[in-house]
Amino acid sequence: MAQLSYREAVSRGIAQEMARDERVMLIGEDIGGAGGVFKTTAGLFEQFGRTRVVDTPISEQAILGAAMGAAMTGLRPIAEIMFSDFFAVCWDIVVNEIAKMRYMTNGQVKMPLVIKSGNGGSLRMGAQHSQSIENWAMAVPGLKVVTPSTPLDVVGLMAAAVRSDDPVLFFEHKGLYASKGEVPDGEIVDELGKAAIRRPGKDATVLALGLMVGRALGAAEELAREGIDVEVIDVRSLVPLDTQTLLTSISRTGRLFTVEENPRLLGWGAEIASIAADECFWDLDMPIRRITTPHIPLPSADSLEDAVLPSVDRIVQDVRKGVSL
Amino acid sequence: MSATRAEHEYGAHPMVLPPDASAAQDGLDVAPAVRLDLYRRLEELRQFEKRAYDLFMQQLVKGTSHLSLGMEAISAGFGAAMRKDDYTFATYRGHAHTLSRGVGMAPVLAELLGRANGLMGGKGGSMHLTSVEHGVLGSYAIIGAHLCVANGAAWSAQVRRSGQVTVCFFGDGTTNIGAFHEALNYAAVYSLPVVFVCENNLYMEYTSIADITAVPSPAADRAAAYGLPAIKIDGNDVDVVYRTAGDALELARSGGGPSLIEAVTYRHGGHSRADPGKYRPAGEVEAWMAYDPLTVHRARLIRLGVAESELDGIRADVARAVDEATEEAKNGRLPDVESAFTDVWADGGSQWRN
């Protein structure tokens, strides 16, 4: 058992899979000799060599095209898109090619690839280097979408993503890279499509993802002092979605809150709210409440960014108000 | 302003006339049996595309279509030169490139007709023809991306030391999108075994490529930027294409890296079914119709002593094959609606939740 940082867990997970399967390759900008701009691939170039850990030009379409073509012909690549905001310059290959190829060819090809990317805000990087874009990805049939919130989940979900024969968008939260957690020795393999109950509770269900999981847990601690017992669920995987775990909790507590870092419109919580309204409406004791970043680009200044991202205080206030209804 | 971008009335741009050098290539080192095989391939692609056009006109094929009529020599020449396990990446104008790898006419026609016996069961259509077992790794309908994807297949072949070469076809219009430049640089940097083939048919879609490109030769003039030689060939002479393909494939297979080939050709028709091609100057279409790849090759074979009756026999064989394929395609049943819900995921289904 070791204490690993979230960033170390990324390279640990990749190393585990590259050592196990020689078809697993890693490509991206500055991921080799430099170990990644976020140091999430440190040591892999030295361990696996330049044939399997490939430094690329700043050519996101070329990177994802290479990953796709390789995946179609026997390799199992992991590609890095440095900041998830950069998906916008190669979204054609993700959405129109990678996501649809199996379907359009009537199952002739497999697409075993992972696209890992630094996602999310809180680092004062402004509107083009801070976005949370899981909802872009989950809107496209054919893409699996995961966001781990702990070092242990990083290792296990990376392994599950690499072993999947479907394309997986693996969102690492940049604001969590320095966070630490226990990671057992030995092989760790998790499962896509499983949510995790981080804190059991009976009064309200709070769903969160990535950086927001910790904030939801912080809010739950404060609310516990007021006698409000909150269940916090780390959704972890948006596609596939573990609706059974989510709906079971919502039906039991009767109150649903989502904590979403994305801007308001069509955030991931909107889909879950819709499912809950469809399938457990009569178990609800209050309207569903989404706690999101407002529908604005993220500002750069720390005071402004802190004011608009969902905070512990905002979660506390919204849940307290909801529970008192 | 450069000559290539001179202002002129719509459709009145300077004519680009075909070369008149086909007889000069009679001495090319291409075996007689190969030349006859190339003729058969040209006939197959021509007669197939004509049939596809007829079926569109009969409204049996829905959606859109992009035919290779007039451009068949490029896919025929490459198809003959490629190794069985090489990879092809094609565009939405990909019927010919798919057939030239040995894919049957019937499953391709059935796919156009949206039938269950189509190449992809009716889920891909005319613009996405794919047959992995024949090395056809897809037809891509949004230009640019597939050059990057072709690199990935080439990378995989390089890693696996399989000796396979990837051939990626695209049009002149593709040379002006960013992915083209990303892909060429990437292939050159990693010395990938890939051959990029620009089918320059002189028109982007409805616009003359010369009017919207900074250099006269959209692919060949860009090659130097990626450390590659400028290769510009007569894309209507199938022997020239065959020899050029062989050289580029050999270079890639022996570790010599990528090639970029600009093959100049001409569409007999418009960009797609919706386009009558009226923007082309009078005289230009006629000149290129006369310099048709089938006419060019047939005349050469006759000059070289092949009996016209033999060529007529091939033409008749192909006509029968196209008729049979048409019947087989038309006799296919419609796909089960359930098939719309298969193969989103590797487990064969479309479930996104438990």
Side-chain angles (χ1 to χ4, degrees):
Chain A
M1 185 80 85
Q3 278 274 330
L4 281 190
S5 69
Y6 187 101
R7 84 174 81 246
E8 289 166 337
V10 176
S11 60
R12 158 90 179 265
I14 295 171
Q16 171 185 302
E17 294 307 298
M18 291 188 77
R20 182 186 65 86
D21 185 346
E22 65 177 13
R23 298 169 300 174
V24 180
M25 307 283 162
L26 179 66
I27 64 169
E29 298 157 11
D30 297 327
I31 53 107
V37 298
F38 299 117
K39 300 292 176 247
T40 60
T41 55
L44 298 172
F45 184 77
E46 292 75 13
Q47 187 177 351
F48 297 104
R50 63 187 305 169
T51 305
R52 296 184 63 197
V53 180
V54 182
D55 275 320
T56 69
I58 300 177
S59 301
E60 279 81 9
Q61 296 183 84
I63 292 167
L64 295 190
M68 173 175 167
M72 289 165 66
T73 53
L75 303 185
R76 305 183 75 86
I78 303 168
E80 177 174 290
I81 296 300
M82 190 186 290
F83 286 79
S84 65
D85 315 72
F86 304 172
F87 270 107
V89 301
C90 51
W91 204 226
D92 172 43
I93 295 195
V94 178
V95 169
N96 289 315
E97 313 300 353
I98 288 172
K100 296 177 172 57
M101 197 65 188
R102 169 184 286 276
Y103 185 81
M104 292 194 300
T105 65
N106 208 20
Q108 289 184 54
V109 299
K110 283 195 301 188
M111 202 61 71
L113 65 87
V114 178
I115 309 174
K116 70 186 279 299
S117 190
N119 189 54
S122 79
L123 297 180
R124 322 325 191 181
M125 290 189 180
Q128 296 181 342
H129 291 74
S130 303
Q131 295 174 85
S132 290
I133 68 153
E134 293 97 338
N135 58 331
W136 301 7
M138 70 185 288
V140 181
L143 300 177
K144 292 188 169 171
V145 184
V146 299
T147 298
S149 73
T150 69
L152 177 59
D153 280 7
V154 166
V155 178
L157 289 174
M158 178 61 79
V162 170
R163 296 178 193 197
S164 167
D165 281 339
D166 291 313
V168 180
L169 269 57
F170 189 92
F171 290 109
E172 300 157 9
H173 201 295
K174 300 194 294 291
L176 292 172
Y177 278 139
S179 65
K180 293 198 167 181
E182 294 288 336
V183 180
D185 298 331
E187 184 178 83
I188 298 169
V189 187
D190 205 327
E191 192 180 346
L192 305 177
K194 288 289 174 203
I197 299 174
R198 298 296 184 199
R199 183 191 190 284
K202 63 181 190 331
D203 295 329
T205 298
V206 175
L207 306 183
L209 197 64
L211 183 71
M212 295 298 116
V213 175
R215 294 188 180 186
L217 286 168
E221 271 184 46
E222 280 197 32
L223 290 161
R225 288 195 283 274
E226 302 173 16
I228 299 171
D229 188 17
V230 172
E231 179 146 302
V232 177
I233 299 182
D234 182 350
V235 180
R236 302 201 317 158
S237 173
L238 291 169
V239 182
L241 185 66
D242 185 4
T243 50
Q244 293 310 315
T245 297
L246 309 185
L247 293 174
T248 300
S249 171
I250 297 161
S251 289
R252 187 160 40 76
T253 65
R255 297 184 179 90
L256 170 59
F257 300 83
T258 64
V259 187
E260 306 166 46
E261 198 178 322
N262 46 246
R264 181 78 189 177
L265 300 188
L266 299 174
W268 57 262
E271 183 58 46
I272 295 175
S274 158
I275 293 169
D278 273 347
E279 301 182 30
C280 60
F281 180 79
W282 302 107
D283 296 329
L284 292 174
D285 296 328
M286 58 165 277
I288 296 164
R289 174 84 182 158
R290 291 177 58 218
I291 304 164
T292 75
T293 298
H295 206 61
I296 56 172
L298 277 181
S300 173
D302 48 3
S303 60
L304 294 176
E305 191 180 32
D306 287 343
V308 300
L309 289 176
S311 62
V312 171
D313 282 351
R314 182 137 66 96
I315 300 165
V316 167
Q317 286 167 27
D318 281 12
V319 174
R320 184 192 290 137
K321 188 175 161 194
V323 170
S324 69
L325 285 175
Chain B
M1 182 170 280
S2 80
T4 57
R5 281 173 287 141
E7 287 187 25
H8 49 68
E9 292 296 310
Y10 183 73
H13 52 77
M15 274 197 279
V16 180
L17 293 174
D20 187 21
S22 64
Q25 304 297 343
D26 287 0
L28 267 183
D29 184 17
V30 180
V34 171
R35 280 190 156 134
L36 270 182
D37 174 58
L38 289 168
Y39 181 75
R40 176 180 294 276
R41 287 167 179 270
L42 288 172
E43 283 285 356
E44 286 170 349
L45 303 181
R46 171 63 48 88
Q47 294 191 42
F48 178 94
E49 290 289 60
K50 283 188 161 174
R51 180 57 49 87
Y53 179 80
D54 292 344
L55 293 171
F56 272 105
M57 289 298 118
Q58 294 164 31
Q59 299 190 334
L60 289 169
V61 178
K62 314 291 177 8
T64 186
S65 74
H66 307 80
L67 304 176
S68 285
L69 288 170
M71 301 167 57
E72 299 93 337
I74 300 166
S75 39
F78 268 89
M82 287 169 75
R83 207 169 82 178
K84 198 170 164 49
D85 62 346
D86 286 340
Y87 296 131
T88 292
F89 286 77
T91 70
Y92 53 85
R93 195 184 305 285
H95 305 167
H97 311 81
T98 301
L99 294 169
S100 72
R101 297 303 309 282
V103 179
M105 291 180 182
V108 177
L109 274 178
E111 185 67 26
L112 269 55
L113 293 168
R115 304 301 168 99
N117 56 338
L119 192 59
M120 295 94 76
K123 289 165 75 173
S126 165
M127 296 198 283
H128 299 293
L129 297 175
T130 304
S131 181
V132 172
E133 66 167 304
H134 296 91
V136 182
L137 294 191
S139 304
Y140 296 77
I142 303 173
I143 69 161
H146 78 301
L147 281 78
C148 299
V149 184
N151 277 342
W155 174 36
S156 163
Q158 188 182 57
V159 168
R160 292 183 282 108
R161 299 177 191 280
S162 67
Q164 293 162 289
V165 178
T166 297
V167 179
C168 180
F169 300 93
F170 54 93
D172 43 275
T174 300
T175 65
N176 289 326
I177 200 166
F180 168 87
H181 300 275
E182 289 193 21
L184 262 293
N185 180 63
Y186 197 95
V189 166
Y190 301 109
S191 200
L192 296 176
V194 58
V195 181
F196 294 107
V197 184
C198 174
E199 301 181 329
N200 179 5
N201 63 23
L202 311 184
Y203 292 86
M204 177 189 96
E205 288 187 25
Y206 294 50
T207 301
S208 161
I209 194 68
D211 285 355
I212 41 77
T213 307
V215 290
S217 298
D221 287 345
R222 265 76 174 258
Y226 307 105
L228 300 173
I231 303 173
K232 187 173 179 180
I233 64 167
D234 178 355
N236 276 15
D237 187 327
V238 72
D239 284 341
V240 170
V241 173
Y242 175 77
R243 286 301 309 264
T244 308
D247 292 345
L249 290 162
E250 169 62 26
L251 180 73
R253 226 182 292 286
S254 62
S259 297
L260 174 59
I261 296 165
E262 179 174 333
V264 181
T265 183
Y266 203 79
R267 285 189 321 240
H268 282 183
H271 169 72
S272 66
R273 179 169 70 140
D275 171 25
K278 297 287 192 199
Y279 41 81
R280 303 185 292 186
E284 187 182 87
V285 178
E286 288 74 10
W288 281 93
M289 292 294 270
Y291 194 71
D292 170 77
L294 261 161
T295 311
V296 167
H297 196 57
R298 189 178 165 99
R300 172 172 301 149
L301 289 171
I302 291 167
R303 278 197 301 278
L304 293 174
V306 178
E308 282 205 62
S309 59
E310 187 175 356
L311 299 177
D312 289 343
I314 291 172
R315 182 169 284 173
D317 286 349
V318 170
R320 268 192 301 280
V322 171
D323 284 342
E324 285 168 16
T326 306
E327 281 313 298
E328 187 180 332
K330 282 181 172 174
N331 289 335
R333 58 179 173 79
L334 297 179
D336 297 332
V337 173
E338 291 74 36
S339 73
F341 301 93
T342 62
D343 283 312
V344 174
W345 307 116
D347 66 7
S350 58
Q351 278 295 323
W352 53 269
R353 56 169 286 186
N354 60 10

